[in-house]
Amino acid sequence: MRPIFVTVGLLALSNVFMTIAWYFHLKQEGWPLWKAILISWGIAFLEYLIMVPANRTGYTGGLSGFQLKLIQEVFQEGNAPADENGLPEGPAFLFEVEVPSNGHE
């Protein structure tokens, strides 16, 4: 399997764990702060067990650090609010494409 596919799949999965680590504790209103922190750290540790191999696979497969970060940001922006066109706000502007007219309009 090509490293890019492994990398993208693992980064997508790691983002799921990180999102859970960030927000799961908010629904546990009765938890003391120390418990929320420890459980969130435990979930984040699982995320790192997936993210580190994803980045190493991608980097040794030819992706740059910038490309790896950009892939991760795309997944992270999937949780972001949408603009008036239904597109995620934030770094999504990087993917806006302007087609040259070649002198024809």
Side-chain angles (χ1 to χ4, degrees), residues 6-103:
V6 173
T7 299
V8 169
L10 289 174
L11 287 175
L13 184 60
S14 76
N15 189 63
V16 170
F17 277 95
M18 201 64 210
T19 300
I20 293 169
W22 286 340
Y23 301 112
F24 174 73
H25 65 90
L26 296 176
K27 292 192 175 203
Q28 315 308 321
E29 295 179 21
W31 283 5
L33 182 59
W34 66 266
K35 184 176 181 179
I37 290 170
L38 288 178
I39 290 175
S40 293
W41 280 354
I43 297 168
F45 177 72
L46 295 174
E47 184 262 344
Y48 269 71
L49 290 176
I50 299 166
M51 189 248 330
V52 170
N55 284 330
R56 289 181 66 93
T57 301
Y59 192 76
T60 59
L63 295 172
S64 69
F66 175 78
Q67 289 169 319
L68 291 166
K69 180 62 178 167
L70 186 60
I71 293 168
Q72 185 271 332
E73 287 294 329
V74 168
F75 287 120
Q76 190 171 352
E77 285 301 313
N79 299 322
D83 66 9
E84 66 276 357
N85 297 318
L87 298 172
E89 295 178 350
F93 70 88
L94 296 171
F95 299 103
E96 292 180 12
V97 177
E98 185 175 325
V99 179
S101 65
N102 294 330

